[in-house]
Amino acid sequence: MTELEHAPARHRLPAAIRAMRPRQWVKNILVFAAPVAAGTLLQPAILLTTLWAFVAFCLVSASIYLINDVRDVEADRAHPKKRFRPIAAGELSPTTALVLAGASLVASLALGFWVAPLLGVTLATYWVLQVGYSLFLKNQPIIDLAMVASGFILRAVAGGVASGIELSQWFLLVAAFGSLFMVAGKRYSEIRELGAGAGTRASLARYTDSYLRFAWTVACTAVIMSYSLWAFEQSQDATWLHLPWHVISIAPFTLALLRYAYVIDSGSAGEPEDVVLSDRVLQALGLLWVAPVAIAVFF
């Protein structure tokens, strides 16, 4: 098969927008998790602040993606998929990308501090950690897992601090171990797909697939346990129609994690957002999980 056959179809979006990776903004939906868990998302004021938090995280994450792609331009050109990214493909100059990164950062922080000071602090912390990861820490095993996982955790925290919602210990545990599960699974899939010595990510050469399998297995177990304890605790106060809806949600939640683990094990979870947007079984299980949680929270 020729190189042209591997190339993606022509894009309608400008290179500058594509370099900000709008497909990966699906991760920022995590900012809605805390208001949903608290049952306050449909309150107009909280819904508005949560939407602003989502926009702010899209902007700050776009800044990180631009900086990361400038930093990794040579490694991306050696990757079978990442070489088509606008900066690696020569569609967007590194200078222009850095200017866009700065503008996105300023807009994000301005919006964050306007909505809530703690949201601004969360955004700034996210940016500092992720830039440090991109420039210095991404090739360090274990540390790179923790740094990427911290990005998911801060997204979940942002939804709470934007509206002043108290975050429970179970919520934080689910967010923390869920983040580790996704990141370790991503690295495992990269090794399965590309091999540790592919040269696309230096830290991969220091991992083994057995170690990463251990990491995402432990994380998945901890997520299920933490979520189940939260569900049993919440079910004491939420029994609409005399049914424990929180407890019922454990089944589809667990099946969704097992489905995602299946995708990881097949080596196809290198891009988590692609899995979420394309796997119909996972989407169906997600809907089956959302239904009882929505009933429990809003009724």
Side-chain angles (χ1 to χ4, degrees):
M1 185 175 288
T2 66
E3 182 174 316
L4 288 177
E5 291 175 308
H6 283 284
R10 184 179 299 276
H11 293 278
R12 296 181 180 179
L13 292 176
I17 301 298
R18 285 186 282 118
M20 295 179 180
R21 305 192 206 172
R23 283 179 64 87
Q24 297 204 21
W25 295 352
V26 68
K27 300 172 185 176
N28 299 326
I29 293 176
L30 281 170
V31 303
F32 292 91
V36 167
T40 58
L41 181 63
L42 297 184
Q43 296 178 17
I46 290 181
L47 178 60
L48 182 60
T49 56
T50 306
L51 288 171
W52 282 127
F54 174 80
V55 172
F57 247 99
C58 289
L59 289 169
V60 76
S61 59
S63 173
I64 295 300
Y65 295 141
L66 288 163
I67 293 172
N68 186 69
D69 285 359
V70 170
R71 174 74 170 78
D72 290 347
V73 62
E74 295 302 326
D76 285 352
R77 286 170 178 162
H79 193 282
K81 295 180 181 178
K82 295 179 182 179
R83 62 196 177 101
F84 296 114
R85 289 176 176 173
I87 299 173
E91 298 179 65
L92 186 69
S93 72
T95 301
T96 302
L98 292 176
V99 170
L100 288 171
S104 298
L105 173 63
V106 170
S108 173
L109 293 180
L111 179 58
F113 279 104
W114 173 71
V115 171
L118 281 178
L119 176 60
V121 171
T122 302
L123 291 163
T125 302
Y126 172 85
W127 191 85
V128 170
L129 289 177
Q130 296 306 308
V131 168
Y133 164 78
S134 180
L135 298 181
F136 310 112
L137 301 173
K138 69 187 310 174
N139 295 327
Q140 299 299 318
I142 315 304
I143 299 298
D144 85 305
L145 296 181
M147 295 300 290
V148 178
S150 70
F152 290 97
I153 298 170
L154 288 172
R155 286 175 171 92
V157 168
V161 299
S163 302
I165 297 171
E166 184 177 355
L167 302 174
S168 74
Q169 69 270 29
W170 300 125
F171 177 85
L172 293 173
L173 283 172
V174 170
F177 285 110
S179 301
L180 179 60
F181 172 57
M182 293 187 68
V183 176
K186 174 181 171 69
R187 294 289 179 268
Y188 179 86
S189 288
E190 288 173 342
I191 285 184
R192 288 289 304 272
E193 181 182 11
L194 304 172
T200 58
R201 190 185 298 275
S203 63
L204 287 183
R206 303 182 184 183
Y207 287 124
T208 62
D209 56 355
S210 60
Y211 173 79
L212 291 172
R213 176 187 285 275
F214 166 78
W216 62 259
T217 300
V218 168
C220 183
T221 303
V223 171
I224 294 173
M225 182 63 68
S226 299
Y227 182 86
S228 298
L229 290 171
W230 170 80
F232 281 113
E233 181 180 87
Q234 296 298 314
S235 67
Q236 298 174 9
D237 302 318
T239 56
W240 185 62
L241 296 182
H242 304 289
L243 292 173
W245 295 102
H246 285 98
V247 175
I248 291 172
S249 73
I250 295 174
F253 181 83
T254 301
L255 290 174
L257 286 180
L258 293 177
R259 174 64 183 184
Y260 194 84
Y262 172 81
V263 177
I264 291 174
D265 196 50
S266 68
S268 304
E271 299 293 342
E273 65 280 359
D274 289 344
V275 178
V276 173
L277 293 172
S278 63
D279 192 297
R280 301 305 181 205
V281 174
L282 186 62
Q283 291 170 358
L285 290 171
L287 290 174
L288 289 175
W289 167 67
V290 166
V293 169
I295 293 172
V297 169
F298 297 113
F299 288 90

